[in-house]
C-alpha cells in the first residue's frame, strides 16, 4: 500500500492517506487526498482534524504529487512521507506550520485486505502503512503550539470509487504501561457490495507487544454485535470488544464516485474502551482517551 495507484485512473476515483498523531498534548489527524470525479476532473485536498475542529482545504491538481513506488506526497508547500511531515498551510481560516518526524514503521504482517486486495472491482480498498510508530516534533495551529514529543503515530490509506454506504471504523494507539512498547488497534466493519449482492465485511488488527493479531472476514471472523456504539467480534480463540464511551465528532468530506461530496463525522480524540481476549483470558482492557471513531450511514447523513 506504499504505492500510488491514481496515475492510470480516468474518472470516479479517489486515493487518500490518513495520518494520525497523538500525544499527551492532543491529537492531530491529516488526510491528503487525490480525487477524480465522474467527468474526469482532477483535484486534491487536505483535511485537518483536531479534537476541537476540522478543516477542509482544496488544492488544484497541479499542486499535488505522489511518488509511484513509495509513500511520498507533496501537497502545495507541505510534504507527507515515511520520514515525517512538513506543514506549511496558510488559508483565511487555518494557519498550520511545523514538522513532525517519524520513527520506524510497524507495518502489518501482510495486506489488511487479504485476498480481497486482488479483487479489481472493490468499491474501496483499505490499507495500513504503519500500525504504530514513535513521533516527535511540534506544529503551530492558528497560534497554538501542539507538541508531539514522546507521541505515537498511525498511518492508513483508502482508494477506490466511494466509501461504503454503511460502515464503522475505530483506531487507537498507546504505550504499554509495563513494556513501554507502542500498541494499537484498528477495527472496521462495512457494507461490501459484490455485484447484485452485498455483505458486512470486517477487518481488524490488534498490535500488542510487537505482535499482530489479525481478525477478518477472510479468516472466519464472526460479528457477534454491531451497533453505532459497540462492536463484538470473535475468531477462533480471539475476541475483541469495542465500546464508544464519549465522542466529539466533526464533519469530514468523503468520496462518492471520486467526488468529495459526501459528509461523514469523525472523532479523533474520543473515549473508546477496547477489550481483547485469547481463549477467554483477558489480554488487555484499556480506555483510550485519544481514540478515533467514525461512522458512515447514508440513511442518516
Amino acid at each position: 500500500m506504499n504505492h500510488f495507484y491514481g496515475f492510470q485512473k480516468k474518472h470516479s476515483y479517489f486515493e487518500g492517506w490518513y495520518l494520525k498523531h497523538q500525544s499527551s498534548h492532543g491529537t492531530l489527524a491529516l488526510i491528503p487526498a487525490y480525487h477524480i470525479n465522474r467527468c474526469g476532473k482532477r483535484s486534491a485536498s487536505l483535511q485537518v482534524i483536531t479534537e476541537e475542529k476540522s478543516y477542509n482545504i482544496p488544492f488544484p491538481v497541479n499542486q499535488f504529487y505522489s511518488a509511484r513506488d513509495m509513500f511520498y506526497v507533496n501537497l502545495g508547500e507541505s510534504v507527507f512521507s515515511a520520514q515525517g511531515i512538513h506543514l506549511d498551510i496558510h488559508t483565511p481560516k487555518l494557519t498550520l506550520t511545523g514538522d513532525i518526524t517519524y520513527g520506524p514503521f510497524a507495518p502489518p504482517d501482510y495486506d489488511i485486505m487479504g485476498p480481497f486486495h486482488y479483487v479489481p472491482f472493490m468499491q474501496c480498498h483499505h490499507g495500513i502503512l504503519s500500525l504504530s510508530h514513535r513521533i516527535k516534533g511540534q506544529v503551530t495551529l492558528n497560534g497554538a503550539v501542539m507538541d508531539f514529543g514522546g507521541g505515537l503515530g498511525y498511518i492508513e490509506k483508502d482508494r477506490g470509487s466511494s466509501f461504503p454506504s454503511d460502515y464503522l471504523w475505530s483506531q487507537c494507539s498507546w504505550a504499554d504501561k509495563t513494556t513501554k512498547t507502542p500498541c494499537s488497534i484498528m477495527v472496521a466493519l462495512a457494507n461490501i457490495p459484490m455485484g447484485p449482492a452485498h455483505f458486512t465485511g470486517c477487518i481488524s488488527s490488534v498490535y500488542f507487544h510487537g505482535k499482530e493479531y489479525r481478525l477478518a472476514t477472510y479468516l472466519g471472523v464472526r460479528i457477534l454485535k454491531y451497533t453505532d456504539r459497540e462492536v463484538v467480534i470473535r475468531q477462533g480463540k480471539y475476541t475483541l470488544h469495542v465500546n464508544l464511551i464519549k465522542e466529539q465528532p466533526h464533519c469530514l468530506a468523503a468520496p462518492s464516485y471520486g467526488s468529495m461530496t459526501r459528509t461523514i463525522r469523525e472523532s479523533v480524540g474520543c473515549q473508546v474502551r477496547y477489550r481483547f481476549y485469547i481463549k477467554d483470558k483477558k489480554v488487555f482492557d484499556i480506555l483510550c482517551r485519544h481514540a478515533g471513531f467514525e461512522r458512515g450511514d447514508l440513511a442518516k447523513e
Side-chain angles (χ1 to χ4, degrees):
M1 292 299 288
N2 288 325
H3 294 70
F4 177 60
Y5 296 84
F7 286 105
Q8 305 299 322
K9 304 299 181 180
K10 304 298 183 183
H11 60 85
S12 303
Y13 181 77
F14 78 96
E15 189 162 349
W17 298 258
Y18 181 90
L19 300 86
K20 187 181 177 189
H21 313 82
Q22 64 181 72
S23 74
S24 59
H25 298 279
T27 306
L28 173 69
L30 304 165
I31 309 175
Y34 170 81
H35 13 85
I36 314 172
N37 68 14
R38 290 184 177 187
C39 298
K41 182 180 179 181
R42 301 168 186 265
S43 58
S45 64
L46 175 65
Q47 297 193 73
V48 178
I49 314 104
T50 69
E51 295 175 25
E52 293 78 27
K53 202 168 182 179
S54 65
Y55 306 85
N56 186 8
I57 306 157
F59 284 85
V61 72
N62 61 5
Q63 293 189 30
F64 171 88
Y65 168 80
S66 178
R68 289 176 182 263
D69 300 323
M70 59 186 291
F71 172 47
Y72 182 91
V73 176
N74 199 169
L75 194 55
E77 300 298 321
S78 299
V79 175
F80 310 85
S81 75
Q83 289 69 48
I85 61 172
H86 169 72
L87 299 172
D88 190 3
I89 306 294
H90 301 272
T91 75
K93 294 184 178 180
L94 176 67
T95 298
L96 178 59
T97 59
D99 296 89
I100 301 175
T101 57
Y102 299 158
F105 282 7
D109 292 337
Y110 57 97
D111 195 292
I112 192 67
M113 295 286 287
F116 288 101
H117 170 79
Y118 301 100
V119 178
F121 51 83
M122 289 286 291
Q123 183 184 45
C124 181
H125 285 81
H126 190 78
I128 299 177
L129 279 68
S130 179
L131 295 164
S132 188
H133 50 274
R134 303 283 187 182
I135 62 175
K136 61 181 179 180
Q138 63 181 33
V139 302
T140 302
L141 192 156
N142 288 344
V145 176
M146 302 180 71
D147 188 352
F148 291 99
L152 295 172
Y154 169 85
I155 302 177
E156 65 179 36
K157 72 177 293 187
D158 289 285
R159 61 184 176 90
S161 62
S162 305
F163 268 16
S165 60
D166 180 71
Y167 71 91
L168 180 149
W169 169 93
S170 184
Q171 190 280 328
C172 190
S173 302
W174 74 96
D176 183 69
K177 291 182 178 180
T178 303
T179 64
K180 308 302 181 184
T181 56
C183 307
S184 75
I185 288 177
M186 187 285 298
V187 59
L189 293 89
N191 183 291
I192 309 297
M194 282 287 181
H198 61 88
F199 66 95
T200 300
C202 175
I203 50 176
S204 180
S205 178
V206 177
Y207 184 63
F208 189 69
H209 288 180
K211 180 178 179 179
E212 182 194 2
Y213 301 88
R214 179 77 59 88
L215 295 86
T217 296
Y218 53 83
L219 295 176
V221 76
R222 289 187 296 138
I223 302 171
L224 304 184
K225 191 168 187 179
Y226 177 20
T227 72
D228 62 353
R229 299 185 69 90
E230 183 178 6
V231 168
V232 182
I233 57 176
R234 180 175 295 164
Q235 177 184 297
K237 59 185 178 181
Y238 304 138
T239 304
L240 177 64
H241 296 250
V242 179
N243 298 88
L244 174 64
I245 306 299
K246 183 180 179 181
E247 63 179 331
Q248 188 176 355
H250 303 295
C251 292
L252 298 181
S256 177
Y257 296 98
S259 297
M260 301 296 282
T261 54
R262 182 178 170 189
T263 300
I264 59 173
R265 296 176 70 82
E266 178 183 333
S267 300
V268 298
C270 61
Q271 296 181 27
V272 179
R273 184 184 181 189
Y274 303 94
R275 289 172 288 164
F276 184 57
Y277 298 84
I278 299 179
K279 292 183 177 178
D280 296 324
K281 182 179 179 180
K282 183 172 65 179
V283 179
F284 59 77
D285 181 346
I286 184 168
L287 177 63
C288 282
R289 301 183 184 278
H290 298 284
F293 201 92
E294 179 178 304
R295 289 185 294 263
D297 182 349
L298 287 177
K300 297 178 181 179
E301 292 170 7

